Amino acid sequence: MHKASPHRNQRLADQIQRDLAELIPRELRNPSLGLITLQSIELSPDLAHAKVFFTVLGAEPDHALQALQEKAGYLHSLLFKRLHIHTVPTLHFHYDNSVEHGIEMSKLIDQAVDSDHRDETK
C-alpha cells in the first residue's frame, strides 16, 4: 500500500472550493441570496467532513446559510459526480465574519487616527 501525498488534503480542499464556486451560483439562482463567495475549505483528516467558510454581499448571512444548508446534499451529489473519489466529504457551511471584522477594525483605526490628527491641530 502506498502513502498518500501529504498535500492531498489541501489539493482536495482547493478542488472542492473551485467546484463549489462554480456550482453554487448555478444551482442557487436566487437574487435574494446576494453574492456568495467561498473563503476556504477545511477537511477533516479522514476526509469525511468539509467545513465550507463563505461570505455574502447583498444579502443576510443567515438567509444565505439556510439556502446553502438546504442544498448541501444536492451539492454533495454534484461533487461526487465531478471528483471521482471514493469518499466525498459531507458539506457543513459556516458564515465567515472575518471580512466584516476586518472592516470594523479598519474603521476603528481610521477613527483613532482622525481623532489624533484633530487633537494635534488644537
Side-chain angles (χ1 to χ4, degrees):
M1 190 163 124
H2 65 281
K3 275 188 172 179
S5 166
H7 302 291
R8 181 173 186 248
N9 264 16
Q10 189 56 51
R11 284 196 322 265
L12 182 57
D14 291 345
Q15 186 61 51
I16 289 170
Q17 185 170 349
R18 283 190 297 272
D19 287 345
L20 285 176
E22 184 182 317
L23 290 169
I24 287 172
R26 191 175 74 204
E27 301 300 330
L28 280 77
R29 289 187 220 151
N30 185 340
S32 70
L33 295 177
L35 176 64
I36 295 171
T37 304
L38 301 182
Q39 297 299 106
S40 65
I41 308 278
E42 288 180 10
L43 292 176
S44 62
D46 63 357
L47 305 180
H49 300 277
K51 288 184 180 178
V52 181
F53 295 93
F54 73 95
T55 59
V56 63
L57 291 172
E60 286 298 315
D62 290 341
H63 182 58
L65 177 60
Q66 181 180 359
L68 287 167
Q69 287 172 334
E70 287 173 4
K71 289 283 190 176
Y74 180 61
L75 292 168
H76 178 269
S77 69
L78 294 175
L79 281 176
F80 186 79
K81 292 174 185 173
R82 284 177 167 228
L83 292 174
H84 306 292
I85 59 175
H86 185 263
T87 302
V88 174
T90 302
L91 303 174
H92 306 277
F93 291 95
H94 299 273
Y95 178 68
D96 182 356
N97 66 353
S98 62
V99 173
E100 286 178 2
H101 185 69
I103 291 170
E104 277 302 309
M105 294 303 291
S106 181
K107 286 180 185 176
L108 290 173
I109 291 168
D110 290 346
Q111 289 172 357
V113 168
D114 288 347
S115 176
D116 282 350
H117 286 307
R118 275 184 262 132
D119 290 346
E120 289 174 3
T121 59
K122 286 184 181 177

